[in-house]
Structures are given as structure tokens and as C-alpha cells.
Amino acid sequence: MDSRRLLRTSATALAAAGLILSGCSGGSDAAASRTTAAARQASPSSSPEALKKFYGQKLKWRDCGVTGFQCATLRAPLDYAKPDGEQIDLAVSRVRATGPGKRLGSLLVNPGGPGGSAVGYLQGYAGVGYPAPVRARYDMVAVDPRGVARSEPVECLTGPEMDTFTQVDQTPDDPAEVNALSAAFKDFSAGCAKKSRTILPHVSTVETARDMDVLRAVLGDEKLNYVGASYGTFLGATYAELFPDRVGRLVLDGAMDPSLPAIELNRDQTAGFETSFRAFAADCVTQPDCPLGTGSVEAAGEALKKFFRDVDAEPVPTGESRPLGESLATTGVIAAMYDEGAWPQLREALARAVDGDGAGLLALADSYYEREADGTYANLMFANAAVNCLDLPAAYGGPADVAKAVPSFEKASPIFGRGLAWAALNCTSWPTPPTGAPHRITAEGAAPILVVGTTRDPATPYEWAQSLSGQLSSGTLLTYEGDGHTAYGRGSDCIDTAINTYLLEGTPPADGKRCS
């Protein structure tokens, strides 16, 4: 069961999976204005003395056990409205520019989530896998956002408790199952409140964007250069909104639309997964080993729906104590939608599950949830819910609201709609009131910002990139006509060349440029 589908780049979990929004929605432009005003009141431009000790700190770099990488700790106020109060420690890592060529400063990277470890992404992928010309000219840098991984992580449930949580039926068929699902979300929220009460009100995207500006200054950069993927695009756009005069070269890949209430974000994303599944199915039915048949895409969809009904009624063994029910099976399928390179793995896992062995789909689900073989979980899902439920008001007042919304979600996706509608219930019982609201981001006065969208992206539908690039006063849209989540570094020379040129020379491609 998902608290919100992850929005993180496909280079992180399977080599990745990406969650996004769980269940937040509503709000008003007035509320958004109040949020932005509060952010500016605590910005260094309005209170430089109060924040001087943070902006003036010196990082103490040390070897962090990964060849070529250094680590340090950045201090930030827990509450920017109370800079003389409690502080938090944020984990930072870097790899120095390799040369040749003149160093261009630091390039901050974030893989999305919310909840994805930027430090892990840097050390495991970006710091060695980004194009060599970019790594030659920039120090590659990452900071785990507050509440994430090594930076005062939000904690909610134990490993066994998470195992139970992920298996709760997310397509309830009767009042008892609705009550069980509601109780599971309430227990999750209560666990977060008990274990993370201090940090929980202070993990918003606005606060993380302020942390990035502190890091920019501490690194000695006049402007922020940044590549944000998936949810990282919302983080980058928020930074541009707060500090437009400090925007350097910003790449927002797999963009979110900050103007939408989360129920619409969830519904749009539901349609995105349907689009991605249809692309998978169109490929699958041409393969001799397709477990969904060799007929039409529509027939393949019906076969998958029947499979989900079957494992809902009778879970499939996996070789361990967790059988494969509908919730874990659905998560396993969705995990493979983020990267078309995972399609052969999904075909094999589905075929095994149809034959009574659910281990393959369980492995895909575990990669999505970042569950280790020893039964422990990374804090990805905890941080994801904490940030999402703080950034936007809850989508629903209760289960009755979900029931009303289900038909529109099923219209968006006959296969995934019902489950994703119910997944948006999670913020209803959240213990910390939201501080944000949906609103347009224009970032007036910012330097050119490059927004990248993929036409068949499952997690961040292409329409979101179109919308964000149109909202930003200096936005430029770059389109990848293809499958999968995000575009940079995923095999398109056209995309990579356009982004590399922007990062190295500051020249964005022509607005509307398309690549395949």
C-alpha cells in the first residue's frame, strides 16, 4: 500500500522507482500567498543578521568511505521563523570537478521522492554517471533534505509494522476493509507523531529550499546550479520562487505542476500509469513470453485486472512469510512502469506469479519501498508522507469522499484507478497541519530555467511539464518523446546534448524543442 506514489528519478530504485503524492489537495491562492509571504519573512534578504551564523558557517569535509567522495554536515535552523532556536544537521556530500576546463562552481542534484536520498543518488549514480563534460566542470554536490535518510530522518513504523502496512488491501470491497485501510493510515500517522514529533512540522519543501540556499552560500556560489528530477522539480521551482535573483542554471526534469490540488495531481498521475501500462502492454503482446496474452492491449489490461482480482481473493506464495496479495502485486507492477528497461523483468515476474510464484513481483515491490533483505526499510515512505502532508491540505475528509472520487480515478485508469484513489486517504489523519497550498510559480526575474517532460512518463505526466514551463516567467520546455520517468541520462543523445549545453554554456534549447 502506498502513502503516495513516489516521484523520484528512475536512476534510484530499480535502478529506481518513484513515488509522488499521497493524499493532499485543496487550498486557495490566498493560503498560497500566506505561505510564500511567511517564507520571505525568514529569508536572508529580510533578516540577514538572524541567519548570518548559518550562511557564514564553514563545512568540514572528510572522507566518507566512498572513493572520490567527501562528506560534511550543514547546520540549519529547525524553524526558520526562530533562527535562534533549535538546529538540525543535514548530510552533504560532494565529488570535486575532474577537469579539464574552467570550474563552473557546484551543481546540486536531487532525485525526488519526496524522501529520496540525494546523497545516495550522488554517490551511487550522479557523481559517476552524469555526462563526463558536466562532471569535469562542476563539483557535484548533494544534501539529504531535512527528514530524509542521513538528515534527521523521519521515523514512523518498525520493519514488521511496515510489512503489515504494505499488505493492507488498498481496494476495499466492503465496510470492514474500508475500516481496516483507514485504521492502517491512522496507525501510520500515529507512529510518525510518536517517533518524529519534533521534526515533523519542519520538513516542508519551502524549508528544504531555504536549506539549499544556505548550502549555496556556504559552498561559495553566487548562484544555484541545480538538476532536480521528479519531485525535485517542485523543490527547484520553489527555490526559484523564493530566491529568483539567485537562480543559476536550473534543470527541472520530469516536472510537477505546483498549481494543482493534490487530488488532481493523483488523478493525473493515475492516468499517467495507465498510459505507461498501455505502452508496456503494446510491447508485451508482441513477445512470445507475454503472460498477458498475445492479443490486444485491451485484452492484456483485462488479463492484468483478472490477475489482481485472483491474488486479492487468494494471495500467491513467495517463498517467505509475506504472500503476494493485490496490494504488493500492484506495487510491483507500478514499480516497473518507471523504466522501460524493467519491462522484461516485469514480464518474467508476472509469468511466475500467474504460475503460483510471487517472488518476482514481491522483489519489485520491495525495491519500490526500499525494503532490505533483513526486513528493515529506509525512511523513504515516512519522509514521503511527512513532506506531502505538510505541503498540501488533505485530499479527503474521510472514506466517504474517496468513494465519491473512485469513479473519476477508474475513468483515468481502469487498472490502477481504484487503488490510487484510496491511497490518497493517507493525509486525512495526519498529526501536523499543512503549511502549503497549490499555487502557480512564476519566479519573476529568474534566469532561464529548463523544464523537461517525457510524453509517456507514468509518474509526472507530460502535461505537468507543459504547465510548469508556462507558469515560470523564464521557463523553456524540452520534450522527450518516449517512455519512462524523466529523460536526462536515459539514452537520448538529443536530450543529453541540450541539457549539457545549457549546464556548460548557460544557453537553453529553443522553447518547444522535441527529442526522441
Side-chain angles (χ1 to χ4, degrees), residues 133-207:
V134 173
R135 291 184 286 111
R137 305 285 298 281
Y138 284 101
D139 290 347
M140 303 287 292
V141 181
V143 55
D144 276 348
R146 50 176 60 209
V148 174
R150 303 162 179 84
S151 295
E152 309 272 349
V154 172
E155 297 294 343
C156 300
L157 301 179
T158 65
E161 288 170 340
M162 271 297 290
D163 282 346
T164 299
F165 179 77
T166 59
Q167 295 178 75
V168 175
D169 191 342
Q170 63 184 18
T171 56
D173 302 312
D174 55 46
E177 291 186 348
V178 169
N179 290 339
L181 181 59
S182 297
F185 281 130
K186 290 177 181 177
D187 289 345
F188 186 100
S189 297
C192 299
K194 181 179 179 180
K195 295 186 177 184
S196 305
R197 185 173 300 278
T198 299
I199 188 69
L200 216 56
H202 298 290
V203 293
S204 70
T205 298
V206 166
E207 289 163 305

Side-chain angles (χ1 to χ4, degrees), residues 441-447 449 468-475:
I441 292 180
T442 61
E444 294 287 344
I449 297 173
L468 179 60
S469 65
Q471 292 171 43
L472 291 167
S473 63
S474 60

Side-chain angles (χ1 to χ4, degrees), residues 338-351:
Y338 286 82
D339 186 347
E340 66 272 27
W343 289 358
Q345 181 182 356
L346 177 59
R347 287 201 308 273
E348 180 183 357
L350 278 170

Side-chain angles (χ1 to χ4, degrees), residues 65-143:
V66 180
T67 303
F69 291 89
Q70 296 175 305
C71 290
T73 300
L74 180 75
R75 286 179 293 106
L78 175 67
D79 184 347
Y80 274 87
K82 301 176 181 178
D84 292 326
E86 191 170 348
Q87 300 178 10
I88 60 172
D89 292 334
L90 306 177
V92 182
S93 184
R94 75 176 178 186
V95 58
R96 302 305 295 266
T98 58
K102 181 181 178 182
R103 180 181 173 276
L104 295 175
S106 305
L107 180 64
L108 195 65
V109 296
N110 183 281
S117 170
V119 170
Y121 175 68
L122 176 73
Q123 295 177 354
Y125 172 68
V128 294
Y130 265 35
V134 173
R135 291 184 286 111
R137 305 285 298 281
Y138 284 101
D139 290 347
M140 303 287 292
V141 181
V143 55

Side-chain angles (χ1 to χ4, degrees), residues 22 29 47 88 173 259 356 360 432:
S22 36
D29 289 341
S47 54
I88 60 172
D173 302 312
S259 71
T432 303

Side-chain angles (χ1 to χ4, degrees), residues 1 6 11 20 31 64 70 98 128 131 209 245 254 283 294 309 332 378 423 437 445 470 508:
M1 179 176 55
L6 285 168
I20 179 175
C64 47
Q70 296 175 305
T98 58
V128 294
D245 58 326
D283 176 76
T294 55
R309 290 194 300 269

Side-chain angles (χ1 to χ4, degrees), residues 39-61:
R40 292 197 179 280
Q41 285 173 10
S43 73
S45 61
S46 61
S47 54
E49 291 304 316
L51 294 170
K52 185 176 181 180
K53 61 186 175 184
F54 300 106
Y55 277 80
Q57 66 186 289
K58 303 295 183 183
L59 294 179
K60 296 180 180 179
W61 294 102

